Amino acid sequence: MTRGLKFNLDKELLDKLEVITGSIHRADMIDEQGWTSAVHKISAANGNYILKSSFKEKYREWLKTEAEVLKKLKSQQEIPVPEYMHYIEETGRNHLLMSYEEGVTLTKALREAASQDEKKQLMKSFGQLLCRLHETETAHLEHTGDWLEDQLKRADRYLKAGECDGDRELLEKLKANRLAEVKQTVIHGDCTTDNVMVRDGEVRLFIDVAGMTVGDPRYDVALAIRKVMADSELTEAFYEGYGLFRLSSREFNYFENGLYEFF
Ligand SMILES: Nc1ncnc2c1ncn2[C@@H]1O[C@H](COP(=O)(O)OP(=O)(O)OP(=O)(O)O)[C@@H](O)[C@H]1O
Ligand SMILES: [Mg+2]
């Protein structure tokens, strides 16, 4: 089998995985690596899988949360996410095994789109998928208090540990100038174009779901449009698909140039 670049899957780990996957034929690092983890595609007797592994304490925490979210969503059809398979904790690293899903990230699809119309179609489709998520009435993700309050606390923790871009002054501003509340909904929680996948020209699947919970839907919208804001046609196409509400510039800035700086 081909070995990974960043770290090798050792025999001990492979043995644990094979209990689920059956005999492993190949394990390759995929091309589109994220920031916080090493991602392998695994081809095995029982099918294809994605193995996501994290090493730093902060990211290991996120991966554990992602595993918990996927596990909760395993038996439902409403929210399209990869299927949870297994979660393993080892000293210094942890691993999440999930189903391999065909497709490419929306970031890549936008980059490779042949025309502006194709890009508009993709952004509209992204809006539609996010609208569906925000309208989901699910018992799988329960309401757990004040989402923004929790995020501000988490930001404080990362700031104290020196683990983020944002500074104290910005955080105090965010605490003092909270937005008027809106109805909380199911949210993705890190809804960038990197974290949704496209197949056959449609945005179909959410990945990287550690932040998926009940929270402020404006955060998702801000992250969804942050990379296309400069292109008003693409922003409009997103809103055409989304349809629930539009962000004011104050709302956009609160999240994109505010809270997001801490994660
Ligand atoms: N279930 C899956 N099926 C196919 N490809 C996947 C799957 N999950 C992840 N990928 C691929 O792996 C890449 C990285 O995955 P992911 O976004 O979950 O990790 P990450 O970016 O390291 O996490 P983070 O955003 O926390 O840094 C994605 O861009 C995607 O190409
Ligand atoms: Mg990601």
Side-chain angles (χ1 to χ4, degrees):
M1 64 177 252
T2 316
R3 288 192 177 275
L5 300 170
K6 266 205 236 163
F7 86 104
N8 296 329
L9 301 176
D10 52 68
K11 170 123 187 9
E12 199 187 325
L13 177 58
L14 287 171
D15 286 347
K16 289 181 198 162
L17 295 172
E18 282 185 332
V19 175
I20 309 290
T21 63
S23 171
I24 292 176
H25 317 311
R26 291 182 67 101
D28 303 299
M29 292 282 281
I30 63 162
D31 295 335
E32 275 192 283
Q33 292 291 323
W35 296 100
T36 66
S37 60
V39 181
H40 285 84
K41 178 179 178 183
I42 290 180
S43 309
N46 299 344
N48 294 327
Y49 302 84
I50 282 284
L51 181 72
K52 189 171 168 182
S53 308
S54 293
F55 310 88
K56 273 181 70 176
E57 181 61 28
K58 176 182 177 187
Y59 301 142
R60 287 169 60 197
E61 238 176 65
W62 289 5
L63 190 64
K64 183 174 187 165
T65 308
E66 182 176 357
E68 286 163 2
V69 171
L70 285 184
K71 211 169 173 177
K72 279 189 214 160
L73 295 177
K74 190 175 167 83
S75 57
Q76 56 84 49
Q77 310 286 321
E78 290 171 279
I79 304 173
V81 291
E83 187 181 350
Y84 171 86
M85 296 291 170
H86 198 38
Y87 173 71
I88 298 169
E89 275 183 8
E90 298 180 314
T91 16
R93 62 190 201 185
N94 56 359
H95 314 274
L96 169 60
L97 185 72
M98 64 187 118
S99 60
Y100 173 82
E101 303 291 337
E102 294 293 341
V104 296
T105 63
L106 177 56
T107 303
K108 188 172 183 192
L110 287 169
R111 196 166 59 227
E112 293 179 349
S115 67
Q116 177 76 351
D117 275 352
E118 199 180 311
K119 288 185 193 175
K120 276 158 68 177
Q121 191 47 49
L122 286 165
M123 286 309 294
K124 182 178 171 184
S125 171
F126 188 19
Q128 288 167 332
L129 181 72
L130 194 58
C131 174
R132 259 177 40 216
L133 181 74
H134 290 173
E135 290 191 322
T136 306
E137 294 287 340
T138 178
H140 301 280
L141 300 160
E142 68 281 3
H143 196 101
T144 49
D146 184 336
W147 175 83
L148 183 58
E149 188 65 35
D150 290 348
Q151 301 316 305
L152 292 170
K153 277 190 195 137
R154 202 154 67 92
D156 207 275
R157 197 150 58 82
Y158 293 151
L159 183 62
K160 282 183 183 134
E163 283 176 335
C164 57
D165 294 337
D167 58 26
R168 174 58 59 191
E169 192 190 336
L170 177 59
L171 185 56
E172 293 310 323
K173 241 171 75 186
L174 294 175
K175 285 182 183 171
N177 300 289
R178 285 177 63 151
L179 297 172
E181 280 177 31
V182 295
K183 183 177 176 282
Q184 303 206 2
T185 68
V186 174
I187 62 167
H188 179 283
D190 189 13
C191 199
T192 64
T193 54
D194 288 339
N195 291 334
V196 288
M197 289 185 62
V198 175
R199 188 162 40 82
D200 302 330
E202 301 277 340
V203 183
R204 293 172 190 269
L205 184 84
F206 294 107
I207 59 169
D208 215 353
V209 297
M212 194 174 274
T213 182
V214 174
D216 191 324
R218 293 172 296 186
Y219 187 54
D220 279 353
V221 173
L223 298 201
I225 60 175
R226 64 193 288 265
K227 283 286 169 66
V228 301
M229 277 294 275
D231 186 325
S232 61
E233 283 189 350
L234 296 186
T235 308
E236 280 312 307
F238 172 83
Y239 277 125
E240 192 191 329
Y242 182 64
L244 296 179
F245 57 79
R246 300 174 76 100
L247 294 184
S248 67
S249 59
R250 172 152 187 259
E251 289 171 322
F252 179 76
N253 282 319
Y254 188 88
F255 293 115
E256 160 65 8
N257 300 313
L259 192 60
Y260 193 51
E261 295 284 312
F262 296 90
F263 303 120

